[in-house]
Amino acid sequence: MEVLGPILEIAHIMLDPIAKYFKYHRGVKKYMMILHKKLEELKCRKDDIESRLNIDLLQSGKTLKKEVQLWLDGACKIISQVDSLSKEVGDMKYLSRAHFGKKITVMIKVVDEHHRKGDFVDRLVIDAPTGNKVTLPTTELVGKSTARRNMEQLWDCLMDDSCRKIGVYGMGGVGKTTMIKLIHNRLLEEMNKFDNVIWVSVSKFASVTQLQDKLARAIGVCMPENESEMVRAAKLFAMIRTMKNCVLIFDDVWEAFQLEDVGIPEPGADNKSKFVLTTRLADVCLRMGCKQIKAELLSEEEAWNLFVEKASLDVISPHIKPIAKEVAKQCACLPLAIVTIARSLKGVTESCEWRNALEELRDSTRGHHDMRRVLEQLKFSYNHLDDEKLRNCLLYCALYPEDFSIRRKELIERLIAGGVIDRMCSRRAAFDKGHAMLNKLEKACLLECVMKKSEDDKQVKMHDLVRDMVIHVNGISSRLMVKSGMHLREIPDGNYWTEDLEMVSLMHNYISGIPSDVSPMCTRISTLLLASNHCLTMIPDPFFMHMATLEVLDLSDTSIEALPNSISKLGKLSALLLRRCAKLRLIPSLEKLILLRKLDLCHAGIKEIPQGLEMLFNLRYLNLHTPYLEFLPCGVLLKLLNLQVLITFGASKTSKVKGDEVACLRKLETFSGQFYNIHEFNIFVHSISTRGREPDMYFIQVGEYHTVTFEEEPESFGKHVKLVKCFIGRGDDELVLPNGIQSLDIHDCHGVASLCDISSLNNATDLRSLEISKCDDVKYAFRASSSTCFRSLESLRLIDLLNFVSLSYKAGAAALPNDMFSNLKSFRIHRCPNIKRLFTPGLLLQLHSLSVIEVTFCPQMKDIIAEDSDESIENHSIDMKKTTNHPMLRHLVLCELPKLKSIYTQTLHCDSLQVIEVFGCPRLNRIPFSPSPVPSNLDKILATKEWWESLEWDQPNAKTAFQPYFKNCIPQKLKFKNRSI
């Protein structure tokens, strides 16, 4: 009997797979019937949803929700997969029945699950925006008379009711897009004739479906991908038909198309609309029935004047001038070529260099075809770059899709990973080098600057002609394959994968998979970019078998679930980018990738760190910011001594690090992570202070895990520390702050009674931002006897302080140490239930740099500025006189202060005041700002109409003076409750 048990167990282990095999083998037919039944149910639900959408979209002028769009796309994908599976089953061999039986059962579950997700209870649509009212960035017109004549001719046509379709044509680089952008912006400024101006960038050859997609994005609606062109056109037609007095601008059209095929109503007297296009081909205007306007080249005089301006030849020697004129002539009066080449010669003073430039330029312009001539002009400028690294930088820009705005930081990261930027002493030096390179290319007009709201979000864009030229120059030798942003659904066939290939970009496509038998013979490849193929779920193991030279592999923003084992054999790989691969669960061993310098797993789906990570001693960049990672094993960091960037914060609540491990990383420049406690944090701080070098940027949390708004980009961290549920006091573990700390958040901590306890810490005087929240020990901000000084502090936030009653233990101007907050610009107090008064006149006087005051959800607050009873009559009169003028205040926010009676009993003169927001303050019946005159920078007063009408005014003309700035707004409590303050 003792022997029988193990034998039965072995038999069970052996027979169970066999039983499953025969079950799948016999059940293929039955499973297919179930699958088709489930699929039919899915199709019915899809049809029902589309029927509802047709009614809502056509009659209501709505746009479908993104979740509905996602479900419809998923349904179409599943239907396609089932169709493919059915064909495979029809052709299957007898011995493969079990394999297909299992595959069918898996698909049944997929179909059933997607059918369940399609049970939308709420409405399928939301309100769609009307028109595009965004001012487009552009440059000034070049060639004043010619360009102005072209522009005014176009404007006259737009104002002429008999002219409905207008086509602007001309050579590439002649300034068509610049002119039409200026027209677009002018139409936005003068909206008395047209209500909507819609801009669509077509960019080369586009199918009807692609045109529909671009138009839908421009008017703010979503279109199901797999609908017929006719149905999509009907929906767009219905949407645009509701937009009367509309100007529709299509830029860079390469083929004529029928407006009705796309879904554009024919412009006419009934809709008072216009259609404008720009193209390089006059035939497009003719075939589309447009009134033709030719964008003329510059005159020779204009071309020379422009060349002189861009090459800075205000003072030119007689022996150089004739050569320079010949160079300008070679630009063929084309603005793009003139600007590009002139700037490439800026600062050249030797005649020999000018003669050499002229000879090279003449040599590069052989041939008569207009487009070839333009490309050759640009090629000259490209070849004239004095650094091969700059040409390589342009090559990386060309790997992105056409008309793509590239974030500078992302591009520089690629240049570092690809070796375009040489190894520098620090990452900051490498980024400085990258920005300098991009600045040079912008100044040479080979890249365009795309300005954003913040300096940290600057972008660049490559002109499509420059991109064509770069690809042409580098693609001649078959070393380059660029098919980014081309709507590919499968990888290019084997003819494209040559042995000479060095760089491949298939970014921003719809590639869903790679056939299992594909194994490109690319023995020289160094860069492979497959990022932003959101449908890509699998890469077969043989795919990388013959790519031993691969150095940069980017699979970011894909749906890949597992990396193939062949990744482990890419011994020359220096950068592996898996950012936002949320479905990624399996990574093979990385121990043999000893040359790897960058590993980006930000928001990847892994639950444990890759095997062999500790062997990557050359690693410089490691990003483990992913919520799925369950823990970070001790000792791993001790072996990664060359790390310059380490990001572990946000990995999980349990992924904390020890101070001594991080302290060993002596080359660390950027760090984001969480320490167990103040003791571990102090070990780290002592270590970096004793070696004399600290990280340039860090985001550190100490104590318990607390969710924060986290900046993913390492170059945007600043120097930030957040303490959560720690004891900040005297003793062996007294908190030590790093040198140069900029921002400190203290959340739910003990041992802090006032700002004095913080200012006594070393390096606290360097703080620029301070936030204290949920610290019940805090009653006052400072004491009269303290020597507290926060001269560098610019932002102070007090949040959820239950026992906080006053800024000062002893009220009055004298209670504030001299220059304590001399640089404070922003003060916010939120959910402090016991404070009744914020400032005294004397206290506010000393806060002379304060520009933002925000007071929200303080139920006992009665006065924002009020005289204190302890102040002497003499001091009171002085303070009153001084505080009547606060020149820096720009923004005042008062929200949910039910007992607030007064902002200030006297009159305040705030010339810089721009915005006043008042909500939930029913007892406040007066605003203290003088109407004589109204603050010159005032932009708006946001409040409810009921509150506005209840106000009492000191002067009879005051309401009339402020009325134009008042904007009736419905109270948005959630806006203030959830505002990140």
Side-chain angles (χ1 to χ4, degrees):
M1 292 298 292
E2 293 179 357
V3 177
L4 185 59
I7 293 175
L8 291 174
E9 184 176 348
I10 293 171
H12 176 73
I13 293 172
M14 295 177 63
L15 292 175
D16 187 60
I18 297 174
K20 288 183 179 179
Y21 176 87
F22 282 104
K23 175 184 174 185
Y24 291 135
H25 190 278
R26 293 194 303 268
V28 170
K29 186 174 181 180
K30 181 180 70 173
Y31 295 153
M32 281 303 297
M33 292 176 61
I34 296 173
L35 178 59
H36 282 130
K37 182 181 177 182
K38 295 286 186 183
L39 184 65
E40 202 58 40
E41 293 173 356
L42 179 65
K43 287 181 177 179
C44 290
R45 174 156 287 179
K46 177 176 174 288
D47 291 342
D48 291 341
I49 289 174
E50 288 176 340
S51 297
R52 288 169 59 190
L53 280 174
N54 286 336
I55 296 172
D56 290 341
L57 289 173
L58 292 177
Q59 296 183 359
S60 309
K62 304 285 184 178
T63 180
L64 72 162
K65 293 181 178 178
K66 288 187 177 179
E67 62 175 325
V68 180
Q69 174 73 72
L70 191 63
W71 188 91
L72 287 171
D73 290 344
C76 292
K77 182 180 177 182
I78 290 171
I79 292 170
S80 176
Q81 290 172 344
V82 173
D83 289 342
S84 298
L85 181 59
S86 298
K87 292 178 183 177
E88 292 176 9
V89 171
D91 298 330
M92 70 179 175
K93 302 288 179 64
Y94 181 81
L95 294 178
S96 61
R97 288 176 63 87
H99 167 73
F100 280 102
K102 183 177 180 181
K103 201 171 181 180
I104 296 166
T105 56
V106 171
M107 185 56 70
I108 289 171
K109 294 179 182 178
V110 171
V111 175
D112 196 48
E113 174 67 15
H114 200 71
H115 178 271
R116 183 185 60 79
K117 290 180 178 178
D119 186 16
F120 296 104
V121 179
D122 298 330
R123 296 190 67 188
L124 304 178
V125 297
I126 56 176
D127 291 329
T130 56
N132 185 345
K133 299 185 183 298
V134 179
T135 300
L136 299 175
T138 186
T139 57
E140 63 178 8
L141 284 176
V142 294
K144 301 297 183 183
S145 58
T146 300
R148 182 62 59 186
R149 184 171 63 251
N150 292 338
M151 188 169 171
E152 289 305 321
Q153 186 181 0
L154 175 55
W155 183 260
D156 290 341
C157 289
L158 285 168
M159 296 300 110
D160 184 357
D161 291 337
S162 65
C163 186
R164 292 295 172 185
K165 292 195 289 187
I166 309 159
V168 180
Y169 73 95
M171 287 179 58
V174 77
K176 302 181 299 295
T177 298
T178 298
M179 179 174 65
I180 205 70
K181 280 183 177 180
L182 291 168
I183 289 287
H184 172 278
N185 295 343
R186 184 174 170 184
L187 287 169
L188 292 182
E189 294 171 359
E190 301 178 26
M191 294 295 287
N192 54 329
K193 186 172 179 65
F194 298 102
D195 299 325
N196 295 286
V197 185
I198 300 168
W199 176 279
V200 179
S201 292
V202 178
S203 296
K204 291 203 174 178
F205 303 98
S207 65
V208 170
T209 300
Q210 290 168 345
L211 287 174
Q212 290 172 335
D213 287 337
K214 290 173 181 287
L215 178 57
R217 284 195 294 270
I219 62 177
V221 299
C222 298
M223 301 297 293
E225 264 190 32
N226 295 287
E227 280 188 335
S228 68
E229 289 178 358
M230 185 179 298
V231 173
R232 290 155 62 94
K235 292 178 179 178
L236 285 170
F237 188 92
M239 172 65 70
I240 298 173
R241 190 171 55 184
T242 63
M243 300 179 185
K244 303 293 183 182
N245 301 327
C246 173
V247 178
L248 188 58
I249 301 172
F250 272 48
D251 182 52
D252 202 11
V253 178
W254 283 73
E255 284 186 329
F257 59 90
Q258 296 296 320
L259 296 184
E260 60 268 25
D261 290 347
V262 177
I264 302 170
E266 190 72 20
D270 56 335
N271 53 32
K272 298 180 181 179
S273 296
K274 304 271 187 175
F275 177 80
V276 184
L277 66 84
T278 69
T279 179
R280 298 178 189 175
L281 308 171
D283 188 54
V284 171
C285 301
L286 185 66
R287 291 167 58 191
M288 293 194 67
C290 297
K291 177 179 174 58
Q292 298 180 43
I293 298 176
K294 184 178 181 180
E296 302 284 353
L297 293 170
L298 304 181
S299 67
E300 289 189 7
E301 181 181 358
E302 289 172 331
W304 170 245
N305 291 337
L306 178 61
F307 189 89
V308 169
E309 177 188 345
K310 298 304 179 183
S312 298
L313 299 178
D314 299 325
V315 179
I316 182 171
S317 61
H319 60 281
I320 288 179
K321 186 174 181 179
I323 307 173
K325 281 201 168 188
E326 286 299 314
V327 171
K329 283 183 181 180
Q330 293 299 317
C331 297
C333 298
L334 187 68
L336 177 61
I338 293 169
V339 171
T340 303
I341 294 170
R343 288 191 176 176
S344 71
L345 292 167
K346 187 175 182 179
V348 175
T349 57
E350 297 289 334
S351 58
C352 59
E353 290 188 67
W354 279 95
R355 285 194 300 271
N356 179 66
L358 177 59
E359 188 61 31
E360 289 180 1
L361 188 56
R362 283 172 172 165
D363 205 35
S364 68
T365 55
R366 291 175 182 168
H368 301 288
H369 190 275
D370 287 340
M371 278 303 303
R372 182 172 181 82
R373 188 173 185 180
V374 173
L375 291 180
E376 290 298 326
Q377 302 291 354
L378 295 171
K379 180 183 175 182
F380 165 77
S381 184
Y382 173 81
N383 290 334
H384 196 75
L385 292 172
D386 57 1
D387 188 350
E388 183 65 22
K389 299 291 185 183
L390 293 175
R391 288 190 279 273
N392 287 333
C393 180
L394 282 177
L395 179 57
Y396 268 82
C397 294
L399 299 180
Y400 286 84
E402 259 192 3
D403 290 325
F404 196 90
S405 293
I406 312 167
R407 297 184 66 238
R408 270 179 168 244
K409 291 178 181 178
E410 176 186 331
L411 179 57
I412 293 173
E413 286 283 9
R414 288 201 187 281
L415 298 178
I416 294 173
V420 177
I421 297 177
D422 293 325
R423 297 178 184 179
M424 314 279 291
C425 60
S426 67
R427 271 179 62 84
R428 172 176 284 184
F431 264 79
D432 289 344
K433 177 68 173 178
H435 283 297
M437 292 171 67
L438 295 179
N439 290 341
K440 284 184 180 180
L441 293 172
E442 284 181 4
K443 291 175 182 177
C445 290
L446 290 168
L447 289 180
E448 303 171 16
C449 177
V450 181
M451 293 302 297
K452 292 295 181 180
K453 289 183 178 179
S454 68
E455 188 71 16
D456 288 337
D457 197 31
K458 288 179 69 174
Q459 301 177 2
V460 294
K461 182 185 289 188
M462 177 175 270
H463 191 283
D464 55 357
L465 286 180
V466 178
R467 181 176 181 270
D468 289 345
M469 177 271 298
V470 172
I471 293 174
H472 173 72
V473 169
N474 290 277
I476 291 176
S477 60
S478 301
R479 63 185 287 260
L480 186 67
M481 178 166 65
V482 180
K483 293 185 176 295
S484 52
M486 296 184 65
H487 303 278
L488 298 181
R489 298 188 178 276
E490 56 186 28
I491 65 167
D493 60 37
N495 294 330
Y496 288 92
W497 299 88
T498 65
E499 288 192 34
D500 294 329
L501 265 183
E502 296 178 15
M503 302 183 77
V504 176
S505 175
L506 301 173
M507 296 190 294
H508 296 276
N509 281 302
Y510 302 99
I511 299 171
S512 58
I514 299 174
S516 58
D517 59 343
V518 174
S519 181
M521 187 66 68
C522 300
T523 56
R524 299 177 60 184
I525 191 169
S526 63
T527 301
L528 176 58
L529 308 180
L530 285 163
S532 296
N533 281 281
H534 298 286
C535 301
L536 183 61
T537 58
M538 184 273 295
I539 298 178
D541 198 60
F543 186 72
F544 295 109
M545 291 297 292
H546 305 293
M547 297 186 182
T549 57
L550 193 62
E551 297 177 7
V552 178
L553 176 60
D554 189 355
L555 297 171
S556 300
D557 293 296
T558 62
S559 299
I560 192 165
E561 298 172 0
L563 293 184
N565 291 327
S566 53
I567 289 283
S568 300
K569 299 179 182 179
L570 301 178
K572 293 189 176 181
L573 200 65
S574 63
L576 180 57
L577 312 177
L578 301 166
R579 178 173 284 244
R580 291 182 293 274
C581 293
K583 295 184 179 180
L584 180 63
R585 294 292 184 270
L586 182 62
I587 298 178
S589 174
L590 303 180
E591 63 179 345
K592 294 183 180 180
L593 307 185
I594 57 174
L595 297 182
L596 198 66
R597 297 171 63 87
K598 181 173 183 177
L599 179 59
D600 193 345
L601 293 165
C602 181
H603 288 295
I606 59 169
K607 293 186 177 180
E608 57 185 33
I609 65 170
Q611 182 181 351
L613 178 64
E614 67 279 3
M615 304 299 293
L616 307 180
F617 54 85
N618 278 310
L619 206 61
R620 264 64 172 174
Y621 180 111
L622 177 60
N623 192 332
L624 296 173
H625 175 59
T626 170
Y628 308 101
L629 192 64
E630 294 179 350
F631 69 98
L632 187 62
C634 293
V636 172
L637 299 179
L638 294 174
K639 299 182 180 181
L640 305 178
L641 299 180
N642 286 308
L643 275 178
Q644 295 175 326
V645 177
L646 174 62
I647 303 171
T648 63
F649 180 77
S652 72
K653 294 182 180 180
T654 57
S655 294
K656 299 179 182 179
V657 294
K658 300 192 71 175
D660 55 355
E661 289 196 25
V662 182
C664 289
L665 306 177
R666 295 183 174 272
K667 296 181 181 180
L668 200 63
E669 298 178 37
T670 302
F671 171 59
S672 170
Q674 183 178 8
F675 290 108
Y676 288 92
N677 49 45
I678 286 180
H679 175 71
E680 296 291 344
F681 174 65
N682 285 347
I683 291 176
F684 167 72
V685 174
H686 283 302
S687 172
I688 62 176
S689 61
T690 53
R691 67 173 181 244
R693 178 177 176 179
E694 61 185 28
D696 296 323
M697 286 161 282
Y698 50 80
F699 187 99
I700 299 172
Q701 193 168 111
V702 183
E704 293 191 13
Y705 180 85
H706 186 254
T707 304
V708 296
T709 301
F710 179 73
E711 180 66 56
E712 291 183 17
E713 294 296 334
E715 280 65 43
S716 302
F717 286 165
K719 296 184 177 183
H720 188 119
V721 174
K722 180 162 187 172
L723 309 173
V724 182
K725 292 192 175 181
C726 298
F727 178 79
I728 305 172
R730 305 293 179 181
D732 295 338
D733 286 333
E734 180 182 350
L735 177 66
V736 179
L737 296 178
N739 291 324
I741 182 174
Q742 296 172 349
S743 181
L744 176 64
D745 293 357
I746 302 174
H747 179 80
D748 200 4
C749 293
H750 295 284
V752 179
S754 72
L755 299 186
C756 305
D757 299 315
I758 300 169
S759 68
S760 62
L761 300 172
N762 68 316
N763 300 319
T765 53
D766 296 333
L767 285 172
R768 296 180 185 175
S769 173
L770 176 62
E771 177 179 302
I772 305 176
S773 59
K774 288 195 173 183
C775 296
D776 293 345
D777 296 341
V778 177
K779 294 183 178 180
Y780 309 99
F782 52 86
R783 301 185 184 91
S785 59
S786 74
S787 58
T788 305
C789 187
F790 287 100
R791 289 191 182 93
S792 300
L793 196 67
E794 296 178 2
S795 174
L796 175 62
R797 301 177 299 281
L798 305 176
I799 304 172
D800 289 319
L801 302 181
L802 182 64
N803 297 311
F804 186 73
V805 294
S806 175
L807 286 176
S808 174
Y809 176 74
K810 178 182 178 183
L816 184 64
N818 191 36
D819 292 336
M820 177 179 177
F821 292 120
S822 58
N823 205 37
L824 188 67
K825 294 179 175 61
S826 174
F827 177 75
R828 291 174 165 94
I829 181 166
H830 184 62
R831 289 198 301 251
C832 293
N834 289 308
I835 187 169
K836 297 181 179 180
R837 184 197 62 200
L838 200 56
F839 305 111
T840 64
L843 186 58
L844 186 64
L845 174 64
Q846 290 185 277
L847 303 177
H848 51 78
S849 298
L850 196 61
S851 61
V852 177
I853 299 175
E854 187 169 307
V855 187
T856 56
F857 293 88
C858 297
Q860 298 299 321
M861 183 70 70
K862 294 182 179 180
D863 302 290
I864 302 301
I865 308 167
E867 172 191 355
D868 188 82
S869 56
D870 294 336
E871 289 181 312
S872 67
I873 296 176
E874 180 180 358
N875 286 336
H876 163 69
S877 62
I878 295 173
D879 288 341
M880 291 278 283
K881 181 179 179 181
K882 291 180 179 178
T883 55
T884 54
N885 188 358
H886 200 287
M888 300 301 292
L889 185 63
R890 291 186 295 105
H891 198 154
L892 176 65
V893 178
L894 305 173
C895 176
E896 295 303 318
L897 309 174
K899 294 187 178 181
L900 183 67
K901 294 182 178 180
S902 167
I903 297 175
Y904 184 37
T905 57
Q906 304 298 316
T907 300
L908 273 175
H909 293 280
C910 302
D911 293 336
S912 298
L913 191 63
Q914 297 175 1
V915 180
I916 304 171
E917 298 183 55
V918 181
F919 295 103
C921 304
R923 297 189 182 185
L924 182 65
N925 59 10
R926 177 183 174 274
I927 57 176
F929 305 106
S930 172
S932 303
V934 171
S936 57
N937 292 303
L938 188 62
D939 179 43
K940 54 192 172 185
I941 302 173
L942 304 178
T944 62
K945 186 175 182 180
E946 180 183 6
W947 176 81
W948 180 255
E949 295 299 336
S950 70
L951 288 179
E952 299 174 1
W953 303 92
D954 297 337
Q955 301 179 32
N957 66 333
K959 184 176 182 180
T960 303
F962 282 106
Q963 185 70 44
Y965 305 97
F966 169 69
K967 295 185 179 180
N968 184 26
C969 295
I970 299 173
Q972 300 179 38
K973 293 184 180 181
L974 288 177
K975 166 187 169 185
F976 291 98
K977 284 184 178 179
N978 297 326
R979 177 181 288 178
S980 177
I981 66 170

